[in-house]
Amino acid sequence: MSYLPYCVAAWLFVIGLYGVVTSRHLVHLIVCLSVVQSSTYLLLLSIGFRDLPAQAPIFSDVPPGTPAVDPVVHALTLTDIVVSATVSALLLALVMDVQRRRGSVDPETLSPFRE
Amino acid sequence: MTWLVPLPVALPLLVAALLVGLAPICRRCVADSLGILTALVVAFACAGLLFKSAPGTLVYWFGSWAPRGQAAIGISFVIDPLGAGLATLCAALMTCALMFSWRYFEAVRTYFHTLMLIFLAAMTGFCLTGDLFNLFVFFELMSVTAYALTGYKVEEVSALEGSINFAVTNSVGAFLVLIGIALLYGRTGALNMAQVGEALARGPTDGLVIVALTLILGGFFVKAAVVPFHLWLADAHAVAPSPVCVLFSGVMIELGLFGAFRVYWTVFRPNLGDYETGVRLVLMSFGAATALLGALMCYTQRHIKRLLAFSSISHVGIMLIGMATLAARGTAGAMLYLLGHAFVKGALFMSAGLLLDRFESLDEEKLRGKGRGLPILTFTMITGGLGLAGFPPFGTYLGKQLIEEAGAQFHQPWLTGLFLVTSALTGGAVLRVVGTVFFARPAGGARESKSASASHEYREIRGSAHTVPAIMLIMAVVMVVVPALSGAFGRALATRAMAGSQRFVDRTGYYRAVIEGRPFGVLPAPEPTDTTLRGILFGIAAALGAVTLALANLFKSHIPNAFWRGWKPWLDRVLASLQRLQSGHVGDYVLWLMIGVVLLATALLLSAKISA
């Protein structure tokens, strides 16, 4: 098992956050947030990974005792994806309303309590 | 009685689903009554759990998947008095908030009630669960409904923007928690908190443990609005509907602290026992910074809801100091403080909501003198201000007293001074507003507001502008009377809180109850707790300080200039730079969040190095 997936997860996390911090467009910002979240999927899956004879955790037509990767992290990742979809959908809906009412989605020009 | 355990989560979710289904045909009053009834039932169910858990921790395995050997294979709810008590408080506040919103804005069908009920289910689940991943799921559910509730008034741009800032920063916080949980799972192969703690205890204290601790604490601190993770809070609180603010300030942000310390005690404590001194110092410093910065910012605000939001930050700092003493006494103090603060802050947010309804503004200068002849609102806001300052018999003074006692055990005598200053500032800020709004003479030509909040704000209440609905006033009054009563039963409450906290910090007992199924194990002997004269005197002193600060601000034209010479420019510069932090730009907030995580990690690593 190599360290590569962990490095990629860390890189995704950092590059996504860089995008969030520097973004000039709210939709872009939300996509960056999803990139940050993808790093958690990758991390979870890498933690449960076992080297090859291990199969995907689908147990319907294999003999009992067949080695498989950890199914728990798959369940966690699925839940995480559901969370991600909810948050992204809600945020995008809010951004659409911002665009409708203010005509701009640049966080530099928006702020709730600018003086 | 086991059927009672899933009820506080399942019932609100079911009713929420029902309300969405009924939305096209459901009348407003049906939605209101159904919502209030559900919240009330949940409150009673949680109170029942609280009493049942007093003699011994209750453990409920979903689908009866009890542990086999030493391994937990199912998902559990673990009910101890602190968790059940917090869940009861959530449900009680939710009942009050829903009653307050009986006459509140034109809800878009039943969505407001649906969101509120899902929010309630998430909060109670968060308090009761015994599983790390479950904790994360409830945390996210709570967050997502909170974002939606913040942006509920979609016709206001500031509400949308506040909600976006809230959602982005808190999502990043939730990812941090999730990464921390993933690392722990990778190390231990378990998700049950008791089992993870046991497995960690057998291993070394290495980089992975410290990193996981940093990520989980940091993530929960975003929700708890600990400095420097706090920047989102004022934007969100200032724009959310008032009944929602009651819950945000009263329980939601405090649940962040609860989650952090629940995980600390059950998962990390067994491993980190030797480094406790260092961890205590780090967390107490974060708490002190939060209390002080929140109080300073609070006093300089003119927008009433923003003022209350910063005061919540300051009070969370005090609670963090209490929990960070890493002792049962400090934890009990924090819990009593939480209880007192939740109702007082709720009453203040309700009063702010009523002011907003009547005068369509929350700017202190615009409201100058307009509140004359509103005796009930004057009463709720004055008592609220005194309650925040910790004037006996409000529960807050008792909490501070216990935290100070715990601090004294660990040679942290500076707590008393810090508490005096922050309580006087936060209480004083509210009393100053009372003075300006309810007692000052109306300004002739109202000065044009320079500050934030200048924009027109929408009224939230339907119906005539000139009558304040009685139910709303009654709720505001109830909310200030309850904490006063709670202080009057000081001794009984303090003893209960102490017993609950001893259970909370007793991780061997927790492990035995969860994994070995011995709920009625040996309970720790109760420590004596009672109000002391010193605590009462300091409470009065803080309240006097608050009154003095408020009067000083009202009559500041009479203060001789010589008084300000020397330190005024310096103070102004500090305040201005603090104000600049609050840029409203979500990128800046996330940057500060990451700086906070790095700070926390460095401090924890250093403290581990020094203690080793």
Side-chain angles (χ1 to χ4, degrees):
Chain A
M1 175 78 199
S2 75
Y3 285 103
L4 185 64
Y6 295 102
C7 297
V8 176
W11 183 74
L12 279 178
F13 188 83
V14 173
I15 200 77
L17 271 185
Y18 174 78
V20 171
V21 171
T22 57
S23 179
R24 297 296 304 270
H25 194 289
L26 282 175
V27 176
H28 170 258
L29 191 146
I30 292 162
V31 174
C32 290
L33 198 66
S34 308
V35 172
V36 181
Q37 190 148 23
S38 333
S39 77
T40 62
Y41 311 152
L42 194 57
L43 178 72
L44 281 170
L45 292 178
S46 336
I47 283 170
F49 186 75
R50 304 284 176 275
D51 267 326
L52 253 179
Q55 314 246 321
I58 301 164
F59 301 108
S60 59
D61 48 1
V62 289
T66 311
V69 299
D70 187 348
V72 173
V73 291
H74 288 245
L76 302 192
T77 310
L78 275 179
T79 316
D80 196 15
I81 291 173
V82 173
V83 168
S84 162
T86 319
V87 173
S88 303
L90 180 67
L91 273 169
L92 287 171
L94 290 171
V95 170
M96 276 175 62
D97 266 319
V98 170
Q99 166 72 36
R100 201 171 299 144
R101 309 211 181 260
R102 191 160 262 184
S104 161
V105 282
D106 181 355
E108 299 276 342
T109 63
L110 311 166
S111 61
F113 284 89
R114 245 167 335 128
E115 310 218 340
Chain B
M1 278 296 268
T2 46
W3 56 270
L4 197 59
V5 177
L7 188 78
V9 179
L11 183 71
L13 285 179
L14 283 176
V15 176
L18 185 73
L19 279 177
V20 174
L22 289 181
I25 51 165
C26 186
R27 306 232 336 239
R28 171 69 195 260
C29 62
V30 178
D32 274 322
S33 350
L34 214 55
I36 293 167
L37 193 68
T38 313
L40 207 59
V41 171
V42 172
F44 277 109
C46 290
L49 288 177
L50 177 61
F51 283 107
K52 289 290 284 183
S53 67
T57 306
L58 297 173
V59 182
Y60 177 87
W61 294 94
F62 282 90
S64 305
W65 286 95
R68 306 284 195 276
Q70 302 293 311
I73 40 182
I75 290 176
S76 63
F77 267 12
V78 181
I79 292 132
D80 62 351
L82 238 53
L86 260 181
T88 314
L89 179 65
C90 293
L93 271 188
M94 177 61 78
T95 314
C96 294
L98 282 175
M99 283 170 82
F100 181 77
S101 48
W102 185 278
R103 294 282 305 278
Y104 222 63
F105 47 50
E106 298 287 354
V108 184
R109 291 185 181 164
T110 56
Y111 299 145
F112 180 72
H113 303 81
T114 311
L115 283 170
M116 289 291 258
L117 286 178
I118 299 176
F119 190 43
L120 174 64
M123 289 194 293
T124 47
F126 189 79
C127 295
L128 301 181
T129 186
D131 183 277
L132 266 180
F133 193 72
N134 230 232
L135 195 72
F136 166 76
V137 172
F138 282 125
F139 186 65
E140 273 287 12
L141 184 61
M142 180 163 89
S143 304
V144 173
T145 40
Y147 312 151
L149 284 168
T150 308
Y152 191 76
K153 292 181 277 177
V154 283
E155 64 278 5
E156 274 180 65
V157 183
S158 58
L160 297 171
E161 289 161 358
S163 173
I164 289 172
N165 288 355
F166 179 18
V168 173
T169 43
N170 277 262
S171 297
V172 174
F175 302 158
L176 295 179
V177 173
L178 181 61
I179 294 175
I181 291 173
L183 293 178
L184 288 178
Y185 180 76
R187 166 63 58 88
T188 63
L191 286 169
N192 184 285
M193 286 196 258
Q195 203 189 334
V196 174
E198 185 67 15
L200 272 191
R202 284 198 292 268
T205 305
D206 54 6
L208 184 132
V209 176
I210 301 281
V211 169
L213 174 69
T214 309
L215 291 173
I216 291 182
L217 285 185
F220 281 132
F221 282 177
V222 175
K223 177 66 72 185
V226 172
V227 171
F229 308 103
H230 68 288
L231 293 157
W232 62 271
L233 183 131
D235 291 349
H237 279 49
V239 295
S242 304
V244 176
C245 287
V246 172
L247 290 159
F248 281 9
S249 262
V251 280
M252 184 188 75
I253 57 176
E254 286 82 353
L255 283 185
L257 281 189
F258 175 80
F261 282 89
R262 163 70 88 206
V263 175
Y264 173 79
W265 283 110
T266 55
V267 172
F268 289 102
R269 177 62 222 283
N271 183 294
L272 283 171
D274 300 339
Y275 305 102
E276 200 165 51
T277 323
V279 176
R280 175 182 303 133
L281 200 64
V282 171
L283 295 182
M284 281 179 106
S285 320
F286 270 86
T290 310
L292 209 56
L293 195 136
L296 273 177
M297 289 297 287
C298 168
Y299 196 75
T300 53
Q301 299 302 312
R302 274 176 49 182
H303 184 277
I304 297 175
K305 272 195 187 173
R306 266 177 97 78
L307 182 149
L308 293 176
F310 280 109
S311 113
S312 296
I313 294 179
S314 174
H315 294 291
V316 156
I318 292 179
M319 291 173 222
L320 174 57
I321 292 175
M323 305 288 277
T325 55
L326 302 182
R329 188 168 287 268
T331 309
M335 287 300 134
L336 286 176
Y337 200 85
L338 197 165
L339 182 68
H341 169 261
F343 282 97
V344 169
K345 192 51 71 64
L348 285 171
F349 268 116
M350 287 179 178
S351 312
L354 290 171
L355 281 176
L356 175 61
D357 161 56
R358 211 174 160 91
F359 303 112
E360 300 188 22
S361 170
L362 274 173
D363 186 82
E364 191 186 339
E365 282 307 316
K366 280 192 182 173
L367 290 174
R368 176 178 285 277
K370 289 200 178 155
R372 292 172 151 228
L374 291 173
I376 301 180
L377 268 186
T378 320
F379 166 76
T380 55
M381 287 201 67
I382 289 181
T383 31
L386 290 176
L388 283 191
F391 186 71
F394 283 94
T396 35
Y397 88 95
L398 193 57
K400 276 191 291 188
Q401 178 204 317
L402 287 184
I403 298 173
E404 280 167 23
E405 286 170 10
Q409 284 173 2
F410 302 110
H411 314 293
Q412 311 281 351
W414 48 273
L415 287 183
T416 312
L418 179 82
F419 288 175
L420 264 182
V421 172
T422 53
S423 305
L425 276 170
T426 49
V430 173
L431 292 178
R432 183 198 75 206
V433 169
V434 174
T436 318
V437 175
F438 296 103
F439 293 105
R441 238 175 259 112
R447 276 188 295 143
E448 200 47 51
S449 156
K450 287 199 297 281
S451 150
S453 75
S455 62
H456 171 75
E457 285 178 69
Y458 290 80
R459 294 174 51 242
E460 292 175 328
I461 304 169
R462 56 204 171 122
S464 152
H466 300 292
T467 51
V468 174
I471 179 103
M472 302 176 86
L473 274 180
I474 292 170
M475 287 324 294
V477 173
V478 166
M479 298 277 282
V480 286
V481 172
V482 168
L485 289 177
S486 79
F489 294 106
R491 191 199 171 99
L493 260 182
T495 318
R496 297 258 153 73
M498 194 66 200
S501 303
Q502 282 176 314
R503 194 90 64 77
F504 187 71
V505 303
D506 172 22
R507 82 105 201 157
T508 350
Y510 185 86
Y511 180 79
R512 279 205 195 113
V514 176
I515 302 292
E516 295 172 4
R518 285 189 283 167
F520 298 100
V522 184
L523 295 178
E527 288 179 36
T529 36
D530 201 357
T531 55
T532 59
L533 185 63
R534 187 173 175 278
I536 294 178
L537 284 181
F538 271 106
I540 296 175
L544 280 180
V547 174
T548 317
L549 272 176
L551 289 177
N553 197 292
L554 287 177
F555 298 104
K556 67 177 166 211
S557 52
H558 299 283
I559 298 175
N561 269 334
F563 178 74
W564 295 112
R565 198 169 299 143
W567 59 286
K568 183 78 171 26
W570 185 80
L571 181 72
D572 281 344
R573 210 168 308 148
V574 172
L575 289 178
S577 50
L578 286 180
Q579 202 81 40
R580 261 201 302 280
L581 280 186
Q582 223 59 51
S583 63
H585 186 301
V586 63
D588 296 352
Y589 293 4
V590 173
L591 194 61
W592 276 106
L593 196 162
M594 292 325 290
I595 291 173
V597 170
V598 173
L599 261 180
L600 188 61
T602 323
L604 285 173
L605 277 173
L606 277 180
S607 72
K609 272 268 182 316
I610 291 165
S611 330

